[in-house]
């Protein structure tokens, strides 16, 4: 992906994205579950920001693959683009680099362009992998975009251990969109904190539903 033109993807990039999707479906036999059966159709063509828990490096390939019908752009740490082979492959996909080590507004401009063109985003608001068996507090960046643009946040729960081929099926539970309507007398930043807190609560609730339905897979304490 060209950082200056995040909306357009090359023909080769589109082919590679399809290849990644096929690989994900072959290895992890994913199952996407919607909180409402009509939600799959309702989300079609709706600019929105998907947010979810971050359990594994594979989340970055898994989530866009199983949400393929919505063609989400995913935020990826800038350091991944600097890796010799992985970085090149990531750049072919629908992705937006973000530098978490310093103030970085370039990702926001690119994300705005995606939403302005009717597209969707996939963001993991924890800002990194959970390495201690807990879902961490969500950072408000994703919600700030939602607050300013008035697009809904769609909470998602990633469930499973990425056991290839014969192991547990990797699953994604997609929840009800959280509508964004910032009051005129409230700063976007303050409203974004409220939105992201609601989104975090929704993701935690969705994950709890998965545990209740399929059992504890050991991903979180």
């Amino acid at each position: 992906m060209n950082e200056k033109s995040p909306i357009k993807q090359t023909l080769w990039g589109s082919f590679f994205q399809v290849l990644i999707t096929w690989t994900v479906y072959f290895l992890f036999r994913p199952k996407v579950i919607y909180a409402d059966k009509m939600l799959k159709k309702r989300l079609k063509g709706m600019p929105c920001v998907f947010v979810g828990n971050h359990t594994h490096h594979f989340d970055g390939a898994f989530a866009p693959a199983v949400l393929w019908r919505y063609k989400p752009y995913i935020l990826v740490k800038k350091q991944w683009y600097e890796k010799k082979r992985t970085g090149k492959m990531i750049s072919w996909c629908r992705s937006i680099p973000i530098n978490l080590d310093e103030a970085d507004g370039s990702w926001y401009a690119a994300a705005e362009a995606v939403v302005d063109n009717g597209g969707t985003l996939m963001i993991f608001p924890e800002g990194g992998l959970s390495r201690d068996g807990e879902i961490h507090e969500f950072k408000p960046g994703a919600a700030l975009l939602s607050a300013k643009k008035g697009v809904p946040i769609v909470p998602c729960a990633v469930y499973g251990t990425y056991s290839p081929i014969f192991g547990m099926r990797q699953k994604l539970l997609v929840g009800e969109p959280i509508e964004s309507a910032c009051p005129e007398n409230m700063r976007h930043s303050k409203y974004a904190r409220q939105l992201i807190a609601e989104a975090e609560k929704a993701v935690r609730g969705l994950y709890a539903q998965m545990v209740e339905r399929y059992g504890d897979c050991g991903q979180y304490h």
Side-chain angles (χ1 to χ4, degrees):
M1 184 200 75
N2 187 325
E3 292 183 26
K4 296 181 180 180
S5 180
I7 307 304
K8 296 181 180 179
Q9 188 177 31
T10 65
L11 183 61
W12 166 247
S14 298
F15 172 78
F16 185 72
Q17 194 97 46
V18 170
L19 182 61
I20 291 293
T21 299
W22 287 349
T23 302
V24 165
Y25 272 83
F26 173 73
L27 289 178
F28 306 120
R29 299 170 295 117
K31 181 177 182 179
V32 182
I33 307 163
Y34 293 86
D36 174 16
K37 292 181 179 179
M38 296 302 296
L39 188 55
K40 181 191 295 188
K41 292 183 178 179
R42 284 165 49 202
L43 291 173
K44 188 69 175 178
M46 177 195 296
C48 63
V49 181
F50 292 96
V51 298
N53 55 315
H54 199 7
T55 66
H56 196 284
H57 289 307
F58 286 164
D59 291 343
F62 174 77
V66 298
L67 294 172
W68 58 269
R69 55 178 48 83
Y70 313 116
K71 298 182 178 180
Y73 279 79
I74 187 166
L75 259 62
V76 180
K77 285 184 180 180
K78 193 174 182 179
Q79 292 91 321
W80 282 100
Y81 290 83
E82 298 167 357
K83 297 182 182 295
K84 188 174 181 181
R85 295 181 181 177
T86 309
K88 187 66 175 178
M89 291 188 290
I90 292 174
S91 70
W92 291 334
C93 298
R94 290 185 294 269
S95 62
I96 297 174
I98 179 172
N99 189 344
L100 297 176
D101 296 328
E102 58 186 54
D104 177 19
S106 61
W107 77 267
Y108 188 86
E112 274 193 317
V114 170
V115 171
D116 287 342
N117 281 268
T120 64
L121 295 156
M122 178 71 211
I123 299 176
F124 299 107
E126 291 170 271
L129 292 176
S130 172
R131 300 182 184 278
D132 59 3
E134 302 289 344
I135 297 178
H136 294 176
E137 181 180 358
F138 282 13
K139 296 176 172 58
L144 183 60
L145 180 69
S146 176
K148 287 188 175 182
K149 292 297 179 180
V151 298
I153 291 180
V154 182
C156 303
V158 180
Y159 173 90
T161 57
Y162 289 101
S163 303
I165 304 180
F166 299 115
M168 173 191 295
R169 294 182 67 181
Q170 194 71 15
K171 300 174 181 68
L172 184 75
L173 175 56
V174 182
E176 282 288 341
I178 300 170
E179 298 299 329
S180 172
C182 184
E184 293 184 2
N185 62 347
M186 183 181 290
R187 297 191 307 273
H188 287 129
S189 57
K190 183 178 181 180
Y191 185 66
R193 288 194 292 272
Q194 295 180 9
L195 272 179
I196 203 63
E198 187 176 353
E200 180 184 335
K201 182 179 179 181
V203 171
R204 290 177 181 272
L206 291 171
Y207 190 86
Q209 289 180 40
M210 298 296 276
V211 172
E212 184 177 356
R213 186 182 304 183
Y214 297 105
D216 186 358
C217 69
Q219 193 62 255
Y220 296 113
H221 299 319

